[in-house]
Amino acid sequence: MRRREFLKVAATGGLGASLGVPVYLRQAWAQNPIKIGMPAALSGGNAQYGIQAKRAAELFAKDIKAKGILGRPVEFIYEDTAGDPATAVRKAQKLVEKDGVKFLTGVVLSSEALAVSAKCPEWKVIFMSTINGAGALTAKSFNRYFFRVNTSGPMGARAISLYLAEAPLKRFFALGSDYAWGRDSVMSFESQITAAKKEVVGKDFPPVGTKDFASYIAKVRQSRAQGCYLALPGQDATIFLKQAHQFGITREVKPIMEIVELENMKTVGEAMVGTIGSSRYPFTVDTPKNRDFVKRFHDMHGTYPDMFDGETYEGLEWLAQVIQKADTAEDVDKVIEAWEGSSYEGLEGPFLMRKCDHQAVQLGFVVEVVNDPKYPHPVPKILATYPGDKVTPKCRTEEFA
């Protein structure tokens, strides 16, 4: 409340009397921003994901600046977690207790997300995932303050498994980073692909931040697999793909990724062409809303949006609609109730927020990395699209019907 308005309230009988003058309270609220906290990895090996979340937030802030949410401005507060779970909790707590945020998003690693989500019932704030893949977040570790807008790891594994069920490849090696998302994704892929009467001939879990994949590449080669399923984050995936190409393994074994990322395509380049996998948001999806988003994003940032640029923007837009529907940004319970069972028209198509586990039901995509003369680097070409009910696990599980 500004000083001039404070004096007006005081003149009517002091601050206590202001409780009976809602017009001034409404004016005061209208001046206060709706704060969204982003404890994201903005440094370290997974900074590309935090940077994507931040880029999406910057575009969203620009797009919504004129009207705000409930007529109020929106303020993003960024904190760098460097991809460390303990730091993520500490930075999230600072955002809640010092900065007064009611909404958290932008958390990068699933290990961070599991740690932060566990604290949200105590803090009574909403944590909206637009990145985190661990199936446990909407299964055994679910709580009502957590919402996942993005495609989960098991959903990505499901999409590529449905595609591979019809492909000639029969033998696979699975390589997942040694933390929640990597292990969840490998487990889901193994379950899905064996159900399709195909074989996982080996699996391994390199630590996050591995720089030398030579021993893992040797295991893949020795397994005589026809395809190698990869659930490796950011920089780890880039290093593996470059080294696999140098060792010549990609000529023998098809790279199959749980998330096919544009950043990897730009960094690895020609050596990644022919790689297939699921995509949580392929910027090449041809909808009017997405075409407009891609243009505005490129105009602002000078690059094309990657997966978490798109998914974070969708999450923020949906959150804004839900707050508007709840007619409050302070009463978290009302926002939760407004979000449960709600629908949203995203960049890729329709979304539905399941009430039972707060997992967004959405289309699943399988893409191939290709060269396209319209772009300065390889891009994802959509090979198959699956309806949401085919790629979303049963409620509060990592299993599929």
Side-chain angles (χ1 to χ4, degrees), residues 257-278:
M257 304 182 74
E258 196 271 292
I259 48 174
V260 180
E261 304 177 47
L262 189 61
E263 187 64 30
N264 294 147
M265 297 178 219
K266 289 159 64 176
T267 305
V268 178
E270 190 69 24
M272 198 171 164
V273 170
T275 298
I276 63 171
S278 71

Side-chain angles (χ1 to χ4, degrees), residues 29-30 32-36 60 64-76 103 316-317 319-325 328-329:
W29 280 122
N32 292 332
I34 294 173
K35 297 177 180 179
I36 299 175
F60 178 79
I64 206 168
K65 185 175 182 180
K67 63 178 181 179
I69 303 174
L70 297 175
R72 295 165 58 182
V74 177
E75 177 185 351
F76 288 96
F103 309 100
L316 292 169
E317 189 174 63
L319 176 62
Q321 291 180 14
V322 169
I323 293 172
Q324 200 76 37
K325 178 182 176 183
T328 179

Side-chain angles (χ1 to χ4, degrees), residues 29 33-37 72 75 77 91-104 123-125 329-330 332:
W29 280 122
I34 294 173
K35 297 177 180 179
I36 299 175
R72 295 165 58 182
E75 177 185 351
I77 306 175
K91 295 294 182 74
Q93 187 168 7
K94 177 262 181 187
L95 287 164
V96 172
E97 295 181 354
K98 182 177 179 181
D99 299 308
V101 307
K102 296 288 188 182
F103 309 100
L104 296 169
W123 296 335
K124 296 197 180 330
V125 298
E330 277 66 45
V332 168

Side-chain angles (χ1 to χ4, degrees), residues 88-139:
V89 171
R90 189 174 72 253
K91 295 294 182 74
Q93 187 168 7
K94 177 262 181 187
L95 287 164
V96 172
E97 295 181 354
K98 182 177 179 181
D99 299 308
V101 307
K102 296 288 188 182
F103 309 100
L104 296 169
T105 193
V107 176
V108 167
L109 293 182
S110 288
S111 52
E112 295 179 287
L114 286 161
V116 171
S117 179
K119 300 291 288 183
C120 288
E122 173 190 333
W123 296 335
K124 296 197 180 330
V125 298
I126 288 175
F127 172 14
M128 175 183 70
S129 167
T130 64
I131 297 175
N132 312 118
L137 285 161
T138 44

Side-chain angles (χ1 to χ4, degrees), residues 131-168:
I131 297 175
N132 312 118
L137 285 161
T138 44
K140 65 182 179 182
S141 299
F142 168 77
N143 70 73
R144 71 187 295 265
Y145 292 90
F146 178 83
F147 287 82
R148 175 153 46 201
V149 173
N150 60 285
T151 300
S152 70
M155 291 168 73
R158 171 70 166 178
I160 190 61
S161 296
L162 288 171
Y163 182 80
L164 290 172
E166 306 298 325

